[in-house]
Amino acid sequence: MKVSLFITCLADVFYPEVGMDVVEVLERAGCEVDFPETQTCCGQPAYSTGYLEDAKEAMKQMMTAFADSEYVITPSGSCAYMFKEYPELFKGDPEWESKAKILADKTYEFSQFLVDVLKMEDVGAAFEGRATYHKSCHMTRLLGVKDAPMTLLKNVEGLELEPLPRSQDCCGFGGTFSVKMGDISSAMVDEKVEHIKETGADVLIGGDCGCLMNIGGRIKREGLPIKVMHLAEVLNKTKA
């Protein structure tokens, strides 16, 4: 099976190791992975800020970049969902509507692809630690990926999972929300970190780099001994 990696802006710039982990897990699962180098931003920041026409230029670039891909896999539920928005945004466009639908239909968030397409629940991972999992808003509420990450984590040898209180609550990132509404965002991430501390976990796992950057920043500023990891990093820790 041939798949293309959509790395996302945050992973590319701040968490390149996450992209490498995604590739290695997919390759062990039998996939042939490529990386279309003409990919850029999915357009979400501009779109969310109200600059639709500017965002569409980035969207067209992405449709072109992944035109020949069989599957598009990304370590971000938020960016995956942005691709799912394309058909509605280009509705009625004689040139781009069909291309938007094709890209949306073949795009999957990383854990979603493993569980729902490859039918894998155990990727052979092993990781010793007490962890809790943060559910990102876009992945769960919009993309609808709720069970796949936990299904995979429950099969990681040695991993002790603790439920996160009020796991449905937003961490306060929300892209440009954290910039425009800084005080509210800060209060939200403070509350999220308090709930993480309640679990007694020494590792926080998540599926979106934006959330991990936001929560991880607050954890670091508080000097807490809690490691922040993307789901792909955990799944790429293999059994001896």
Side-chain angles (χ1 to χ4, degrees):
M1 184 178 290
K2 295 182 179 180
V3 305
S4 297
L5 174 65
F6 165 28
I7 186 62
T8 79
C9 299
L10 289 181
D12 181 42
V13 177
F14 297 107
Y15 302 96
E17 67 278 5
V18 170
M20 295 170 66
D21 288 318
V22 169
V23 170
E24 290 175 5
V25 172
L26 290 173
E27 287 180 340
R28 286 203 308 274
C31 296
E32 179 183 336
V33 186
D34 65 25
F35 182 81
E37 294 186 6
T38 56
Q39 64 180 281
T40 181
C41 178
C42 65
Q44 185 179 126
Y47 171 64
S48 299
T49 310
Y51 295 97
L52 176 57
E53 294 308 312
D54 293 316
K56 279 187 174 182
E57 293 306 308
M59 296 173 189
K60 291 174 182 177
Q61 178 65 28
M62 294 300 259
M63 286 185 268
T64 302
F66 292 105
D68 297 326
S69 303
E70 293 182 16
Y71 291 93
V72 178
I73 313 303
T74 181
S76 166
S78 180
C79 294
Y81 182 73
M82 190 67 237
F83 275 9
K84 303 294 185 181
E85 293 260 59
Y86 282 17
E88 181 63 28
L89 298 177
F90 286 92
K91 190 173 183 179
D93 189 311
E95 181 180 0
W96 295 99
E97 182 178 7
S98 61
K99 296 176 182 179
K101 188 176 188 310
I102 290 170
L103 178 57
D105 289 346
K106 65 184 180 183
T107 296
Y108 294 86
E109 181 273 330
F110 172 59
S111 68
Q112 179 189 33
F113 182 73
L114 289 173
V115 174
D116 295 346
V117 179
L118 297 185
K119 306 301 181 184
M120 296 184 70
E121 296 187 357
D122 188 341
V123 298
F127 183 82
E128 295 288 339
R130 187 178 188 183
T132 193
Y133 178 77
H134 165 66
K135 300 176 181 178
S136 61
C137 297
H138 279 190
M139 186 188 295
T140 54
R141 299 174 190 176
L142 299 179
L143 191 61
V145 177
K146 300 178 180 179
D147 300 326
M150 292 302 295
T151 297
L152 294 162
L153 288 173
K154 287 175 180 176
N155 286 293
V156 175
E157 185 178 296
L159 184 65
E160 180 184 349
L161 280 173
E162 297 291 338
L164 180 61
R166 299 192 64 83
S167 62
Q168 75 280 1
D169 287 1
C170 177
C171 72
F173 179 61
T176 55
F177 172 82
S178 61
V179 178
K180 294 178 178 178
M181 304 290 183
D183 291 342
I184 298 174
S185 175
S186 294
M188 292 170 74
V189 74
D190 281 343
E191 187 175 74
K192 178 63 67 173
V193 170
E194 286 302 313
H195 292 317
I196 293 168
K197 288 159 61 176
E198 287 175 26
T199 69
D202 49 30
V203 181
L204 170 70
I205 302 171
D208 265 293
C209 291
C211 298
L212 294 178
M213 182 169 63
N214 187 44
I215 301 170
R218 184 50 54 97
I219 285 174
K220 184 177 181 179
R221 286 190 291 276
E222 289 192 17
L224 301 175
I226 301 172
K227 187 174 183 179
V228 177
M229 299 180 71
H230 189 279
L231 173 67
E233 295 180 274
V234 177
L235 297 182
N236 200 29
K237 305 292 185 183
T238 56
K239 299 175 183 177

